[in-house]
Amino acid sequence: MSVGVLAGIVVGAIAAAIGLFKLMWRVAEPNEALVISGSAHKTEGIAEGMGFRIVTGRGTMVMPGVQAVRKLSLDLNETQLNVDCVTHQGIPLRVKGVVIFKIGDDFVSIANAARRFLDQQKMMPERVHIVFAGHLRSIVGGLTVEDMIRDREKLTGQTRAACGTEMEKLGLIVDSLQIHEIEDPTGYIKNLAMPHAAAVQRDARIAQADANLRATEAEQAAFARMSEATRDSEILQAGYQAERDKAAATARQAGPLSEAAARQEVVVQETRVAELEAQRREQQLQADVRKPADAAAYETRTRAEADRDARISAAQAKAKETELAAAAEATRVTTAAAADAKATEARGLAAATATRATGEAEAAATQAKGLAEAASAQANGLALAEAAKAKGLAEATAIKARAAALAENQEAVVAQQLAENWPAIVEAGAGAFGNVEHMILLNGAEGMSEMFAKALTMGGTGLGLARQLLSTMSQPPAPATTPVNGSAPESSHQIPIQGA
């Protein structure tokens, strides 16, 4: 046998070995598990043999024709939940969600899933939907709509916990469970949310109004600031313009001002020169006129004072001379007066002595005369008193006698009294005509007679009245009578008659 044939046999043997190895070697992808069956196998982590072997993430030898190799996907799966439920309040709802699940990574889960879904992996989402739908209806039946809305996580947690055991038996684990939507065909949730929606809408409108108000205020403030800035800018511009105008005017007036200042300086200097000239003239006048005049005046005044002093001295000498002469005359007169006074005093003393003697004599005579007159007056008084006493006693006796006569014969007494007082009565009656200045009598002498007759009649009327009064006084007093019908009788009045 040649070398070529041997080499060809060796190469063929190597190629056959490689092909056989590739036919027997199987590798599991990261997202799949190899389930090898056909011989007794023992899987790690499982005490009892399952009759197949599970390989994940590595290669393994498989006896073609003796063992069977199948792949089980470990990818994620999802199922959409669309379950009609009824709450504890009897309100029908439709709960929508999604469940994301996969086969567990441990061999037990892979084995459980292999036993249930190895040939029905496409049916896995439907089965999971059935499991979750049943538990979801049961959980929603024990909750209220408010609980599900306010605590949706509670619904998700309870559903996930209720399905965990069954999912574990299926070899599945839930990666995520989300409740997307809860539909309310009766409008309960919408009505439930309407007060809150209205409140939120109200708050939103209020917030919008507040925002509009603040925006308006901000705009107004911005406009005010803009106006203020514009005003300040215009004021500054006006100020700057005024300063420019002032500077320009100052520049324009610089020439005239300089000329005026120069003229002012000239005037000042001329005024100063004039003042100096006036001072010079004044000093010249002082030297030429005033000082000589003062000297002349001083001379005149001195001369006048000397003359005055001379005259005063002469007058004083003359006054002294006169005083001395007067003193001499006064001395002479005093001496003469003293002599006269002494003579007069002597004559007065003599006259006084004579007058005192005369007075003492007259006083003694006057005292004696007064004593005599007092004695005479006392005697006259005593005589007059005795006379008055005798007259009073006589009058009392006469009154008493008149009263007695009046008691005995009133008519006669009254007649006597009237006769005695008749002129006075007629005079009183005629007194009514005393204030009459002019009286006209229409019937002549007859009227005069009637007038006098009336005057006399007044006296007669007085006589009748006096008699009536006397008759009334002479009647005894009426006995006291009992008042009739509560009225007392009229009392009688007595008029006393006084003696003349």
Side-chain angles (χ1 to χ4, degrees):
M1 186 179 296
S2 63
V3 176
V5 174
L6 291 175
I9 295 172
V10 172
V11 171
I14 294 171
I18 293 172
L20 181 61
F21 177 78
K22 291 182 63 177
L23 181 63
M24 297 176 62
W25 185 256
R26 300 293 176 89
V27 177
E29 298 295 331
N31 58 343
E32 64 183 6
L34 297 178
V35 179
I36 302 170
S37 60
S39 61
H41 298 283
K42 184 177 182 181
T43 304
E44 296 178 357
I46 300 176
E48 298 179 354
M50 295 183 297
F52 59 88
R53 183 162 53 95
I54 299 172
V55 177
T56 59
R58 62 184 178 87
T60 183
M61 294 298 291
V62 176
M63 295 298 290
V66 179
Q67 295 178 331
V69 179
R70 295 180 182 179
K71 295 181 180 179
L72 183 63
S73 177
L74 300 178
D75 292 336
L76 289 175
N77 296 288
E78 69 175 26
T79 180
Q80 296 293 330
L81 298 177
N82 190 1
V83 182
D84 294 331
C85 306
V86 179
T87 65
H88 180 71
Q89 301 157 315
I91 298 171
L93 298 176
R94 178 170 293 171
V95 180
K96 293 183 177 181
V98 60
V99 180
I100 299 174
F101 61 95
K102 65 183 291 292
I103 298 172
D105 295 330
D106 59 304
F107 291 149
V108 175
S109 297
I110 293 172
N112 291 335
R115 288 193 183 97
R116 291 167 176 79
F117 303 109
L118 187 58
D119 294 333
Q120 300 178 354
Q121 295 186 29
K122 293 182 180 180
M123 300 296 293
M124 191 180 299
E126 184 179 355
R127 301 293 187 271
V128 171
H129 183 273
I130 294 171
V131 172
F132 274 86
H135 287 287
L136 191 58
R137 289 192 184 93
S138 176
I139 293 169
V140 170
L143 297 175
T144 63
V145 178
E146 289 81 1
D147 294 337
M148 289 189 292
I149 294 173
R150 294 170 183 171
D151 193 3
R152 188 170 296 183
E153 188 64 26
K154 179 180 178 181
L155 174 62
T156 303
Q158 289 182 359
T159 304
R160 190 169 184 172
C163 299
T165 304
E166 295 181 4
M167 293 294 288
E168 185 178 359
K169 291 179 180 178
L170 295 175
L172 303 175
I173 59 174
V174 177
D175 282 349
S176 176
L177 172 61
Q178 297 294 329
I179 302 298
H180 291 165
E181 185 179 3
I182 298 176
E183 293 183 353
D184 176 24
T186 61
Y188 180 85
I189 297 175
K190 184 177 180 180
N191 295 330
L192 187 66
M194 286 181 68
H196 301 285
V200 171
Q201 186 177 4
R202 180 199 60 199
D203 295 341
R205 292 177 61 187
I206 293 173
Q208 184 64 37
D210 291 339
N212 294 334
L213 177 61
R214 287 193 294 272
T216 304
E217 292 177 351
E219 290 177 356
Q220 293 177 354
F223 290 151
R225 288 195 295 273
M226 291 174 60
S227 300
E228 184 176 359
T230 303
R231 182 201 61 191
D232 295 342
S233 176
E234 292 177 352
I235 291 172
L236 289 175
Q237 291 178 4
Y240 294 151
Q241 184 64 36
E243 291 180 357
R244 289 198 296 271
D245 295 342
K246 183 178 180 181
T250 302
R252 289 193 299 270
Q253 297 296 330
L257 288 175
S258 300
E259 185 179 356
R263 287 201 304 272
Q264 182 179 5
E265 184 64 24
V266 171
V267 171
V268 170
Q269 294 300 326
E270 290 177 353
T271 303
R272 181 60 180 168
V273 171
E275 290 177 355
L276 293 175
E277 184 66 23
Q279 291 178 2
R280 186 186 65 78
R281 289 179 181 177
E282 183 178 1
Q283 290 177 0
Q284 186 67 33
L285 291 173
Q286 289 285 344
D288 296 341
V289 178
R290 183 165 185 175
K291 287 185 177 179
D294 290 344
Y298 178 74
E299 183 180 1
T300 304
R301 185 169 58 253
T302 303
R303 290 180 183 278
E305 288 178 355
D307 294 340
R308 183 196 61 190
D309 293 341
R311 288 195 299 273
I312 291 173
S313 297
Q316 288 178 350
K318 188 176 182 179
K320 187 65 175 178
E321 184 181 0
T322 304
E323 182 179 0
L324 292 174
E329 182 65 22
T331 302
R332 186 184 63 77
V333 171
T334 302
T335 303
D340 293 341
K342 288 181 179 179
T344 302
E345 182 177 2
R347 286 194 298 271
L349 289 174
T353 302
T355 302
R356 184 176 61 186
T358 303
E360 288 177 355
E362 292 178 353
T366 303
Q367 183 178 4
K369 185 178 180 180
L371 292 174
E373 289 177 354
S376 176
Q378 184 177 5
N380 292 330
L382 292 174
L384 292 173
E386 288 297 334
K389 181 178 180 181
K391 185 179 181 179
L393 292 174
E395 290 177 354
T397 303
I399 292 170
K400 185 176 180 180
R402 187 179 296 117
L406 180 61
E408 294 177 355
N409 191 2
Q410 295 178 353
E411 186 69 20
V413 174
V414 170
Q416 182 182 359
Q417 293 292 329
L418 291 174
E420 292 176 354
N421 297 307
W422 186 254
I425 295 170
V426 173
E427 183 179 0
F433 303 96
N435 296 323
V436 177
E437 294 182 357
H438 302 284
M439 179 180 292
I440 299 173
L441 300 177
L442 300 178
N443 49 357
E446 185 179 358
M448 183 64 71
S449 299
E450 291 179 357
M451 184 182 66
F452 284 114
K454 289 181 180 179
L456 295 175
T457 304
M458 293 176 66
T461 305
L463 178 60
L465 180 60
R467 288 177 177 177
Q468 185 178 358
L469 291 173
L470 289 174
S471 62
T472 304
M473 292 171 62
S474 61
Q475 293 179 359
T481 58
T482 303
V484 180
N485 298 330
S487 62
E490 295 182 356
S491 59
S492 61
H493 298 283
Q494 296 181 356
I495 300 174
I497 299 174
Q498 296 181 355

